[in-house]
Amino acid sequence: EAGVVQSPRYKIIEKKQPVAFWCNPISGHNTLYWYLQNLGQGPELLIRYENEEAVDDSQLPKDRFSAERLKGVDSTLKIQPAELGDSAVYLCASSPAWTSGYYEQYFGPGTRLTVT
Amino acid sequence: RKEVEQDPGPFNVPEGATVAFNCTYSNSASQSFFWYRQDCRKEPKLLMSVYSSGNEDGRFTAQLNRASQYISLLIRDSKLSDSATYLCVVGAGSYQLTFGKGTKLSVIP
């Protein structure tokens, strides 16, 4: 079974430029998450999708960040314009439906963003 | 107070040693508890869930104390391949997970 796919794996951009990250979750996983992970920190949730609906975007900085999951499968996270402080790893994860009180989030390899 | 706090680490231990990681959480309504493992420059992967009765998976034992809001992970007979960062993860709802900063473990030959 293929895992969560993310691209690109690495991205270097200058500040004020736009950038976009793409994620394809595991087939059949309705829930998709975007996390941000800074060096030495745990992942922090940016947004969670249930199918095509963003059900939790309270931590997404909406002045510069946007996300979409138009057909309820793959998703795109965009930053415009990027700032130096956005340098981090952006992780995508997916999970199956909640069953029996147990679930697991499967993470993609992440996109390492460097803003110069 | 941070929602999930872990030992700052790093832990440097010789092969064969027993090492214990501690974690506390602040939300008393938390319902699910996990340990994830993250290798250097890799994505986090689920190591094990943590149940109230405690659970064991080979050399790994996880414990949960709801009254003290405390979670632990014990690794016996450490292997070089156990070197990684261990993330304490707490779930407050069906899909909401909060990650700790992680504790880095280095197992030395």
Side-chain angles (χ1 to χ4, degrees):
Chain A
E1 180 182 90
V4 176
V5 179
Q6 290 189 247
S7 69
R9 292 293 310 278
Y10 304 90
K11 189 73 176 180
I12 301 174
I13 61 171
E14 295 183 347
K15 61 182 181 181
K16 300 185 182 179
Q17 294 301 306
V19 64
F21 314 126
W22 176 81
C23 172
N24 194 341
I26 293 173
S27 178
H29 283 192
N30 297 329
T31 308
L32 183 147
Y33 315 76
W34 282 103
Y35 286 90
L36 177 154
Q37 186 173 25
N38 287 303
L39 187 65
Q41 305 291 319
E44 298 174 24
L45 181 68
L46 290 172
I47 188 168
R48 171 169 67 89
Y49 281 93
E50 291 294 334
N51 299 304
E52 64 273 12
E53 182 182 359
V55 294
D56 184 357
D57 64 355
S58 57
Q59 301 303 312
L60 189 72
K62 298 180 183 61
D63 56 337
R64 298 184 300 108
F65 287 65
S66 64
E68 60 183 16
R69 193 185 184 197
L70 294 176
K71 296 183 179 179
V73 180
D74 57 346
S75 175
T76 302
L77 177 69
K78 298 178 181 178
I79 308 175
Q80 182 171 9
E83 297 179 352
L84 293 176
D86 296 331
S87 295
V89 176
Y90 291 82
L91 292 162
C92 179
S94 68
S95 64
W98 173 266
T99 55
S100 303
Y102 171 81
Y103 66 97
E104 175 180 352
Q105 292 190 15
Y106 297 80
F107 284 83
T111 297
R112 188 174 297 273
L113 174 67
T114 301
V115 182
T116 63
Chain B
R1 181 182 173 186
K2 292 190 182 298
E3 290 190 51
V4 179
E5 293 200 62
Q6 295 186 239
D7 287 337
F11 284 45
N12 299 312
V13 303
E15 275 186 287
T18 296
V19 60
F21 302 135
N22 301 313
C23 171
T24 58
Y25 60 95
S26 60
N27 186 351
S28 59
S30 299
Q31 302 170 5
S32 53
F33 310 89
F34 310 91
W35 285 99
Y36 273 69
R37 169 189 170 135
Q38 187 170 26
D39 291 303
C40 187
R41 302 181 77 87
K42 299 286 188 180
E43 70 272 23
K45 292 184 179 180
L46 179 67
L47 177 65
M48 60 195 303
S49 301
V50 188
Y51 304 115
S52 297
S53 55
N55 48 299
E56 186 174 310
D57 183 2
R59 298 181 292 108
F60 298 82
T61 301
Q63 298 277 355
L64 168 65
N65 184 322
R66 286 184 181 268
S68 302
Q69 296 180 201
Y70 168 88
I71 307 163
S72 66
L73 175 68
L74 184 76
I75 305 176
R76 292 182 300 278
D77 189 22
S78 299
K79 311 292 185 189
L80 295 176
S81 58
D82 294 334
S83 297
T85 294
Y86 290 83
L87 299 162
C88 177
V89 186
V90 174
S94 298
Y95 296 95
Q96 181 184 355
L97 294 184
T98 301
F99 289 75
K101 286 187 176 182
T103 302
K104 185 175 180 180
L105 171 66
S106 293
V107 181
I108 304 165

